[in-house]
Amino acid sequence: MLTIKTIGQVLKEKRTSLGLDLSEAEQLTQVQKLYIVALETDDYKALPGDFYIKAYLKQYAEKLGLNADRIIQAYDEGKGITVEDKEDILENYHFVKPSERVEPEEEVPKTWRHYVPIISLSAAALLIVVGVFAAVIMNKPETPDLITNDYSYSKSEVSTSKSSTSSTKPSESSTQASSSKPEPTIAISGSSSAMIATISNISDPIKVDFSVAAARTIWVGMTNSNVPATGQTLSDGANSLSALVTTGAENSVITLGSVQGLTITVNGKALDLSSLTTTGPNKITLQINRTTSNSAAQ
């Protein structure tokens, strides 16, 4: 059966049929993992330009044993590729053993004897319910005398209110002390594909959250953090990442395959990514100025 598939579908199905994961495919084809993901998802905007797209398509297809010229032609024409899918006949066939076959039985008219067991069980259940209800009524405890407990209850209530009032005062003072701590600030500089974010009045731990919009695939790398050295790819399956900057680090470099559909926050404050205008790889340098003990005391 002939079907039309996109270039990315053909590349991904060939890779998976060879039993290769993304890291193995990167070693075999010498094409970076983030570009492999872009090719297999037909996300050509994540690649540097038309020249590199064709070069990567040709190199990737040849290493996988595909017809590279046919794939380049399909990309130039903006069309899909016609491939043949072999239908597995066994999937639609189910053999039933003679011993498992069920022959239709003739319906036999039911007499009153058929309902005797059901009636007996229902009557027994009803007797049990009536017995339990009668036992509860007969053993119902007497209503306690509430007058004898009025004094002790009011006394405990007064002591409880006093303790709650005394416990409120330290929390109020701690709230006032915490409110005097300066809020972190972020200053943005740079443009195009490189940006510097200077973060002031911040203390450890420093948490950087990444979130990718639906139908987007973006590779993320980050130095001086708990992100793996090989980076991490965010897509619909896993569209968020929380990273911690190494304690005491004065900077951290974030490398991105793309910024379209990406949101980044530092300790809950959003980074303005509007200055990054290129579609290719982007770099963000976080310059960290932590809160000093003097500023915290002030």
Side-chain angles (χ1 to χ4, degrees):
M1 181 176 63
L2 297 179
T3 58
I4 299 178
K5 298 184 178 181
T6 66
I7 296 174
Q9 290 174 333
V10 173
L11 294 173
K12 185 173 182 179
E13 289 180 0
K14 183 62 176 179
R15 174 178 63 79
T16 55
S17 68
L18 295 175
L20 300 174
D21 58 24
L22 291 175
S23 298
E24 293 171 339
E26 182 180 41
Q27 295 178 357
L28 174 65
T29 62
Q30 297 302 310
V31 177
Q32 294 184 30
K33 188 187 302 183
L34 65 97
Y35 294 143
I36 290 178
V37 173
L39 293 176
E40 292 185 351
T41 56
D42 301 297
D43 185 12
Y44 301 119
K45 293 182 180 180
L47 290 117
D50 190 66
F51 172 79
Y52 292 99
I53 294 174
K54 291 182 179 180
Y56 288 146
L57 282 173
K58 179 178 178 63
Q59 183 175 350
Y60 192 37
E62 288 178 347
K63 292 294 184 179
L64 295 179
L66 295 172
N67 189 333
D69 294 333
R70 184 181 177 190
I71 289 178
I72 296 298
Q73 181 181 359
Y75 169 76
D76 289 333
E77 296 176 355
K79 298 179 179 179
I81 300 176
T82 302
V83 296
E84 181 177 358
D85 278 347
K86 295 181 180 180
E87 184 177 1
D88 190 356
I89 300 177
L90 295 178
E91 292 181 357
N92 301 322
Y93 180 78
H94 177 64
F95 177 76
V96 181
K97 297 179 180 179
S99 60
E100 297 176 352
R101 297 175 184 173
V102 179
E103 298 294 339
E105 298 180 357
E106 295 183 0
E107 185 175 356
V108 179
K110 297 178 180 179
T111 63
W112 64 273
R113 292 186 179 86
H114 176 78
Y115 299 100
V116 170
I118 299 176
I119 296 173
S120 301
L121 292 175
S122 300
L126 180 60
L127 289 174
I128 293 173
V129 172
V130 172
V132 171
F133 181 75
V136 171
I137 294 298
M138 294 177 64
N139 294 283
K140 183 178 180 182
E142 297 181 358
T143 304
D145 189 0
L146 298 179
I147 298 177
T148 58
N149 297 325
D150 286 345
Y151 176 75
S152 60
Y153 173 78
S154 60
K155 184 176 181 180
S156 62
E157 184 179 6
V158 171
S159 61
T160 303
S161 62
K162 289 182 179 180
S163 61
S164 61
T165 304
S166 61
S167 62
T168 305
K169 294 180 179 179
S171 62
E172 292 178 353
S173 60
S174 61
T175 303
Q176 294 175 356
S178 60
S179 62
S180 63
K181 184 178 180 180
E183 289 291 331
T185 60
I186 302 177
I188 303 298
S189 61
S191 60
S192 185
S193 62
M195 185 180 86
I196 299 175
T198 303
I199 307 171
S200 303
N201 298 327
I202 196 168
S203 58
D204 292 315
I206 300 174
K207 182 181 178 185
V208 182
D209 291 314
F210 302 85
S211 178
V212 176
R216 301 296 304 176
T217 300
I218 298 177
W219 179 86
V220 176
M222 185 173 177
T223 64
N224 289 337
S225 70
N226 60 344
V227 176
T230 56
Q232 185 169 335
T233 300
L234 304 182
S235 60
D236 285 343
N239 63 350
S240 63
L241 169 64
S242 293
L244 290 176
V245 176
T246 302
T247 302
E250 297 181 354
N251 61 69
S252 178
V253 179
I254 301 174
T255 305
L256 305 169
S258 174
V259 295
Q260 295 182 0
L262 179 65
T263 302
I264 303 177
T265 61
V266 180
N267 281 9
K269 298 185 73 68
L271 284 183
D272 183 7
L273 306 179
S274 60
S275 60
L276 298 175
T277 56
T278 60
T279 58
N282 297 270
K283 183 174 74 173
I284 301 174
T285 301
L286 302 181
Q287 295 288 354
I288 302 170
N289 296 328
R290 287 176 174 77
T291 304
T292 62
S293 58
N294 293 333
S295 61
Q298 294 175 355

